[in-house]
Amino acid sequence: MVGKIVVVQTTIDDEDKAIVLARGAVENHLAAGAHIDPPLTAVYWWKGRIETAREWRISYKTSADRLSELQTWVVQEHSYEVPEFVVLPIIGGTDAYLSWVAEESAVK
C-alpha cells in the first residue's frame, strides 16, 4: 500500500472556501479525508511583487490513482488563478489506515 497513498496540499484565502474544497473532494470520493490547518501567513512572489496573505492549507489523503481527477476538480473549483497543488508521497503508515484511504478514495 505504501507508494499508492499520497497527501495533496493546496491553500486558499478564505476559511469557508477551504471547507467547501475539503468537503467537496471527500463527498466525491476524490479523497478519503482532508485536514484544514489554522490560518497561516503566506509570503510569495506574484506578478512581479512580493505579496503577503492569510491562507488556510488543505491536506487531502488520497490514492495515487485519483490524483488526476483530484487535480482537475481542485483547479476547477478553486478561486485562485494558479492554485497550489503539490503531492507528497507517503513512505510509511499502518496497513489499516492506508487501506482505509485507498478504499474511501476509490471510484464509487
Side-chain angles (χ1 to χ4, degrees), residues 33-87:
H35 287 153
I36 301 170
D37 292 335
L40 51 92
T41 301
V43 180
Y44 54 93
W45 281 101
W46 183 245
K47 297 190 177 182
R49 296 178 39 169
I50 295 179
E51 299 285 343
T52 303
R54 185 175 180 197
E55 293 184 315
W56 284 258
R57 179 185 300 121
I58 306 162
S59 298
Y60 300 102
K61 285 74 173 171
T62 192
S63 66
D65 294 342
R66 298 297 287 199
L67 280 176
S68 178
E69 291 167 285
L70 179 60
Q71 180 178 355
T72 298
W73 186 87
V74 167
V75 169
Q76 177 183 323
E77 299 297 320
H78 209 290
S79 60
Y80 287 6
E81 185 178 334
V82 181
E84 175 183 5
F85 190 92
V86 296
V87 180

